[in-house]
Amino acid sequence: MSHTVVHVTALQQGERIPRAQLVAALRAHQGLAYVPEQALLRDVIYLLQGISGTHVRFKQEWQMPTADGSHPAETVLRLEFDEKDGIISPPTRDLIHRLAELGQLYVRVQRYVDKHTHPTPRHLASQSLCHFLAQELQAHGELVSDMEAQWHAQAEGVTPSHPLTLRRLVQTTREPILRMRLMSTMVESCRDMHGGALVSTIHAYTLTGDPFIRRCTSTLLDHVSRPFFHTLSRWIYDGELDDPFDEFFVAQASSHTPTPKQADDLVVPTEPGADAADVWQNRFVLRENMLPSFLSEHFARKIFSTGKSLHFLRDCCGEDRAEIQGRTPRRALRYSDMAGLEHAIDAEFALASGHLCSLFLTQFRLRDHLRAIKSYLLLTQGDFADALLQTLGPSLSRPASTLYQHNLSAALETAIRASNAQYEDPDILRRLDARSLEFGPGDTGWDTFTLEYRVEAPVNAVLDASAMAGYQLLFNYLWQINRVAAAVTLAWTQLLSTHKAVLRSRQRSQLDASLLPSLHRTLGHLHEMVHFVRQLQGFCELEGIAYAWQQLEQNCDAGISDLDQLIETHRHYLHTLIHTTLLRGRRGQADHLADDVRAQLQSVLAYAHCAEEWSHHITAELARLAGGVAPLRSAAHTQSVLVERLRTEHAAFQHRLQGMLSTLERHPTLTVRDLAVRIFDDSHTATMEF
């Protein structure tokens, strides 16, 4: 009696039969047997190579893209069992699934290698990764070849000491599967990456507690990062950017779009390559998205500055690394030697950047240029400023169209010979130039005259066009203050002399009775204005220029690490000068106080001119009376007009002064705020004296 009949009878009698026995009886009834393990081993060896077998096959299925588009549509391999010729038990299927994973991963990695391997390399980091993966795939192929040889030996009846079985294959492929999983994950993460971004992505896998993953990833990184470290070595040792496939985190600017530094709110663009500032600021850019994650931003800045310094030394200073004293031999840079990498970066940064800064402060005489600018453009050398004012004063009062370059140059030369500037270094003096700016209808020489200081490469990397525009702005402001100070002092001196002449005159009774009180009052107002202008001058020289210069010297003496810091130190100095001297508010705020100061200076100048005109009028009347000539009928009218003008200008001066004092008391800068106390005290003292 067959087993099937027995089972049917038992079921009819209500007996419980295990399901396995029922399935086995059914398959025996259908004439199906289990697939031999030797046949399955052959299929598994095919599967490990991504090839379908007889009883187990790979089936390609389309995987839809993700919603964000991070993974495009692609085909994936699914496992499919064919039991037409035999049965595969569930435990055996589980073993085959585990083994087939290695084949699936192998296919995925092979696709990446095929896609990114070209006759002409596109990206060196990707090519290095593909080379490493190709070596791993080759090792995988050798492993499969050994399995296939052993299978053939068993098929021919040779019985090895350790026969090939599915379970043994699972044990043998445990570590290869882990390695292939890691490589498959990496190629999925690095689909379209290259350069530093690719290295950063791989480096992220070292941040794990699994020693196997960390060890494998470090080995891979040491191989993949070789092109990166080759470029890095050329950059920090030679200042040359050897990056044909645009993979390094330092790149040459594709278009020289100026990114000028700011001197306060001044921005003066320059033509690409016009000066050393463009070479330093705009020739190379730092791309943070290509920076490998194993390098901090601090080290990236050092690397960037080191290469730029070497390039700048060669391009603008005519030196190369071989001429730098104390240079160290080249060191092989590798990912596996991070301590050596950090040491090399620190050493080369100190060498190249320190040497460049030293050249600026010694051979290229940056401090001497800054000192000359302070003396002549900021007018701190008083005898030169006075001589220049006396020489140019008469001609600057004429229309700007009457100023000629040769006359301005001659006046500058005269002022130099008449002051201690004649003992200055000739190389410094030749850089000074007096010229007239563009002018419009009605402009006088006072509106267009300026003094400039010329520098060449490489000094103009620090004293660039924006910086020199800032110094010219300061010169024009300080020049205006000096002009007003000279004019109001002269007016006060002349009017005081006129006042004394009136007191000595025997004909003063024939003059207007209100003349002496008006003279006395006007002298008091002029004295008050003299004090105001002198306090403004003193504030600019002491609190503005002298204090900023002291801070600049302290910062330079404290040590400058690289040219960027030197530029930033000078930029801070100029920023302080402009904001303090010009009484500016915070950036972005309207310069009401600065505008009020300029308007106040114009008011003082107008009052001084009116007082000078009145002094000439009184002197003429005294001369007329002394000669026995009767006073002009229009003299009283002229005097009343001038006195009224003086009263109006002084009222405007006082009104604006009160507003300025109120604004100064609320100024965000304490130094500027103290100016209110000085002006108020001195104005009060000047008033009390009269």
Side-chain angles (χ1 to χ4, degrees):
M1 183 182 295
S2 67
H3 290 288
T4 304
V5 176
V6 173
H7 289 150
V8 171
T9 304
L11 287 173
Q12 290 175 348
Q13 293 176 358
E15 297 180 11
R16 296 181 60 84
I17 301 174
R19 182 177 300 176
Q21 293 183 15
L22 292 174
V23 173
L26 177 61
R27 289 173 176 169
H29 177 72
Q30 294 175 344
L32 297 176
Y34 286 100
V35 177
E37 186 174 11
Q38 191 71 7
L40 293 178
L41 282 171
R42 181 190 58 193
D43 283 2
V44 167
I45 291 174
Y46 287 147
L47 294 177
L48 293 178
Q49 303 172 72
I51 304 172
S52 296
T54 303
H55 304 284
V56 188
R57 300 184 179 89
F58 279 131
K59 181 181 179 182
Q60 289 191 354
E61 293 182 359
W62 276 97
Q63 185 178 18
M64 298 305 293
T66 56
D68 59 359
S70 58
H71 291 282
E74 64 176 356
T75 58
V76 295
L77 298 179
R78 304 295 185 192
L79 206 57
E80 187 177 65
F81 292 91
D82 186 354
E83 295 184 307
K84 294 179 181 179
D85 300 328
I87 304 168
I88 304 174
S89 65
T92 303
R93 289 190 180 202
D94 180 62
L95 293 175
I96 294 174
H97 268 289
R98 291 159 66 180
L99 291 167
E101 181 189 359
L102 181 56
Q104 292 171 317
L105 298 174
Y106 168 82
V107 171
R108 179 179 296 174
V109 175
Q110 185 66 59
R111 285 175 179 173
Y112 179 87
V113 173
D114 294 340
K115 178 181 178 181
H116 291 82
T117 303
H118 305 276
T120 303
R122 294 183 181 178
H123 301 293
L124 294 180
S126 299
Q127 292 298 312
S128 294
L129 175 59
C130 290
H131 183 263
F132 180 86
L133 295 177
Q135 291 178 338
E136 291 294 319
L137 295 177
Q138 183 179 357
H140 173 78
E142 293 173 356
L143 175 65
V144 173
S145 296
D146 292 341
M147 294 177 183
E148 188 174 5
Q150 192 172 356
W151 180 87
H152 280 293
Q154 290 183 185
E156 294 174 358
V158 179
T159 304
S161 57
H162 299 288
L164 190 66
T165 63
L166 291 177
R167 291 186 179 277
R168 185 166 182 79
L169 282 182
V170 170
Q171 294 296 327
T172 304
T173 58
R174 186 183 301 275
E175 183 171 321
I177 285 179
L178 292 177
R179 294 177 66 86
M180 201 65 74
R181 280 178 185 169
L182 180 60
M183 290 187 291
S184 174
T185 303
M186 287 183 180
V187 299
E188 285 297 307
S189 303
C190 305
R191 282 176 177 266
D192 300 312
M193 293 184 179
H194 63 278
L198 184 145
V199 175
S200 293
T201 302
I202 297 176
H203 174 71
Y205 290 96
T206 64
L207 308 177
T208 177
D210 190 321
F212 175 81
I213 295 178
R214 192 165 59 248
R215 183 174 64 254
C216 292
T217 306
S218 298
T219 303
L220 172 60
L221 264 179
D222 199 45
H223 189 93
V224 172
S225 60
R226 287 176 187 173
F228 170 83
F229 282 107
H230 170 76
T231 305
L232 176 62
S233 179
R234 291 292 303 276
W235 178 250
I236 68 171
Y237 286 118
D238 300 315
E240 295 180 1
L241 187 60
D242 185 9
D243 184 25
F245 301 108
D246 198 28
E247 299 178 283
F248 199 51
F249 65 90
V250 177
Q252 192 161 0
S254 56
S255 59
H256 284 282
T257 303
T259 54
K261 300 184 291 294
Q262 295 205 0
D264 193 52
D265 297 323
L266 293 170
V267 176
V268 179
T270 58
E271 291 297 324
D275 56 18
D278 180 70
V279 174
W280 179 261
Q281 293 292 334
N282 303 325
R283 183 161 295 183
F284 299 102
V285 294
L286 179 63
R287 301 182 298 176
E288 295 183 0
N289 63 316
M290 297 299 287
L291 177 65
S293 54
F294 58 79
L295 285 178
S296 65
E297 184 178 352
H298 172 69
F299 271 104
R301 297 290 175 186
K302 281 190 173 183
I303 293 169
F304 186 52
S305 180
T306 301
K308 279 206 308 179
S309 297
L310 291 173
H311 179 85
F312 190 87
L313 281 167
R314 184 177 60 253
D315 195 69
C316 297
C317 306
E319 290 193 9
D320 57 21
R321 183 179 183 272
E323 300 178 41
I324 302 177
Q325 296 295 326
R327 62 186 185 276
T328 56
R330 295 173 183 268
R331 182 175 188 149
L333 307 179
R334 298 180 65 89
Y335 174 80
S336 55
D337 185 18
M338 295 302 296
L341 172 64
E342 294 179 1
H343 176 75
I345 292 173
D346 286 335
E348 288 302 309
F349 172 77
L351 180 69
S353 300
H355 180 69
L356 180 58
C357 289
S358 176
L359 284 181
F360 265 85
L361 297 175
T362 55
Q363 179 177 331
F364 300 129
R365 305 176 60 189
L366 178 61
R367 281 194 180 185
D368 291 342
H369 293 309
L370 290 173
R371 189 177 293 108
I373 290 173
K374 180 173 74 76
S375 297
Y376 304 117
L377 263 61
L378 302 186
L379 304 176
T380 57
Q381 186 160 327
D383 59 342
F384 168 78
D386 292 341
L388 187 63
L389 194 64
Q390 292 175 7
T391 305
L392 282 173
S395 58
L396 294 183
S397 299
R398 297 195 294 268
S401 58
T402 62
L403 294 180
Y404 298 100
Q405 183 61 46
H406 64 276
N407 292 334
L408 295 178
S409 299
L412 175 61
E413 184 66 26
T414 301
I416 290 174
R417 290 197 304 268
S419 65
N420 286 328
Q422 62 183 306
Y423 305 112
E424 183 65 83
D425 186 343
D427 180 65
I428 296 295
L429 293 179
R430 71 176 180 82
R431 299 175 184 277
L432 282 174
D433 188 26
R435 66 186 183 91
S436 179
L437 302 174
E438 294 184 4
F439 55 86
D443 287 343
T444 66
W446 292 109
D447 301 315
T448 62
F449 172 76
T450 190
L451 197 64
E452 64 179 16
Y453 188 85
R454 296 187 303 271
V455 293
E456 303 89 15
V459 179
N460 55 16
V462 179
L463 301 177
D464 62 354
S466 291
M468 300 315 295
Y471 284 121
Q472 285 196 356
L473 176 67
L474 286 166
F475 169 79
N476 294 336
Y477 176 73
L478 296 170
W479 180 250
Q480 180 73 3
I481 293 178
N482 277 27
R483 173 201 177 187
V484 173
V488 72
T489 302
L490 178 63
W492 183 83
T493 303
Q494 289 182 347
L495 198 64
L496 181 62
S497 178
T498 301
H499 179 265
K500 292 178 180 179
V502 170
L503 291 177
R504 292 193 302 267
S505 175
R506 297 179 180 180
Q507 291 82 17
R508 65 180 181 181
S509 58
Q510 302 178 41
L511 298 173
D512 191 339
S514 64
L515 178 61
L516 282 175
S518 297
L519 280 173
H520 191 271
R521 183 169 56 253
T522 303
L523 283 170
H525 293 165
L526 282 173
H527 197 197
E528 179 183 355
M529 293 179 181
V530 167
H531 272 275
F532 168 79
V533 178
R534 292 300 182 190
Q535 283 302 314
L536 192 59
Q537 265 185 320
F539 172 80
C540 292
E541 293 174 3
L542 298 177
E543 305 297 340
I545 301 171
Y547 175 77
W549 178 258
Q550 182 183 17
Q551 293 297 313
L552 175 65
E553 287 193 317
Q554 289 178 357
N555 291 334
C556 290
D557 293 338
I560 302 295
S561 61
D562 64 352
L563 185 55
D564 277 324
Q565 187 180 359
L566 182 59
I567 293 172
E568 184 59 35
T569 299
H570 172 258
R571 188 184 307 173
H572 177 73
Y573 162 71
L574 185 54
H575 175 86
T576 302
L577 277 177
I578 291 176
H579 270 257
T580 304
T581 305
L582 271 61
L583 304 177
R584 288 191 171 181
R586 292 188 178 93
R587 183 171 296 178
Q589 295 180 347
D591 292 331
H592 297 303
L593 183 57
D595 294 338
D596 286 344
V597 170
R598 292 187 180 88
Q600 192 74 318
L601 290 174
Q602 291 300 320
S603 182
V604 171
L605 190 62
Y607 193 92
H609 287 165
C610 187
E612 189 176 355
E613 184 179 349
W614 190 31
S615 177
H616 291 323
H617 170 74
I618 296 173
T619 301
E621 285 300 306
L622 288 176
R624 187 182 300 276
L625 292 174
V629 181
L632 294 175
R633 295 182 179 180
S634 61
H637 174 71
T638 301
Q639 177 175 320
S640 63
V641 170
L642 292 173
V643 170
E644 179 62 23
R645 280 175 54 193
L646 290 170
R647 187 195 66 79
T648 302
E649 292 292 346
H650 182 260
F653 172 84
Q654 281 293 337
H655 176 74
R656 192 177 292 110
L657 181 63
Q658 295 305 316
M660 287 175 57
L661 291 174
S662 177
T663 305
L664 284 169
E665 290 172 352
R666 301 190 305 272
H667 199 275
T669 305
L670 182 61
T671 303
V672 177
R673 205 181 306 162
D674 291 341
L675 179 61
V677 179
R678 297 175 58 174
I679 292 177
F680 176 79
D681 290 344
D682 286 323
S683 297
H684 180 69
T685 302
T687 304
M688 292 296 294
E689 290 178 357
F690 283 82

